[in-house]
Amino acid sequence: MNIALWIVQGLAALGFVYSGWLKAFQYEKAAASWGWVKDVPKTFVVSIGLAELLGAIGIILPLALNIVPILTPVAATGLAVTVLFGALFHIRRKEYRNIGVNIVFFALTVFVALSRF
């Protein structure tokens, strides 16, 4: 089970690093990839990106380094909440095809959070 959890944590971290990097440091690329980015303030998009990057670090490093390992499920919970709000945002905007990614990453992060607490 531990190996499966590490694999899930790694996949989730990779996804959040990609998404967070685009939002935080490659705003124009993010705007070209995701239509919603143009409709919200840039600072909001960058903030989400930074939160995703911190969450990606938090879902791996605390447990891997055994330094305050409780931060790993806390980071997973924070990422799950972020993805849930993202899904609600897409539902409100009737962007239903974007919700599939949210559901996958919500499931990954909830699995990590519940298993690691």
Side-chain angles (χ1 to χ4, degrees), residues 57-105:
I57 292 167
I59 205 169
I60 298 289
L61 286 185
L63 192 61
L65 299 176
N66 200 29
I67 300 173
V68 195
I70 191 66
L71 291 179
T72 292
V74 170
T77 302
L79 288 170
V81 169
T82 302
V83 173
L84 179 62
F85 282 135
L88 295 174
F89 174 79
H90 291 305
I91 289 170
R92 200 175 105 220
R93 291 175 48 95
K94 297 183 179 20
E95 299 172 337
Y96 301 115
R97 66 187 187 123
N98 295 339
I99 297 169
V101 173
N102 292 111
I103 291 170
V104 169
F105 280 95

Side-chain angles (χ1 to χ4, degrees), residues 29-50:
K29 218 176 195 182
S33 298
W34 303 308
W36 65 268
V37 171
K38 299 171 196 155
D39 298 335
V40 297
K42 182 178 180 178
T43 54
F44 182 65
V45 176
V46 171
S47 298
I48 294 169
L50 292 173

Side-chain angles (χ1 to χ4, degrees), residues 5-6 8-14 16 52-64 69 71-77 79-80 105 108-110 112-113 116:
L5 274 166
W6 278 112
V8 170
Q9 285 172 245
L11 290 173
L14 285 174
F16 283 110
E52 288 177 351
L53 288 170
L54 288 173
I57 292 167
I59 205 169
I60 298 289
L61 286 185
L63 192 61
L71 291 179
T72 292
V74 170
T77 302
L79 288 170
F105 280 95
L108 293 175
T109 54
V110 166
V112 171
R116 292 293 188 196

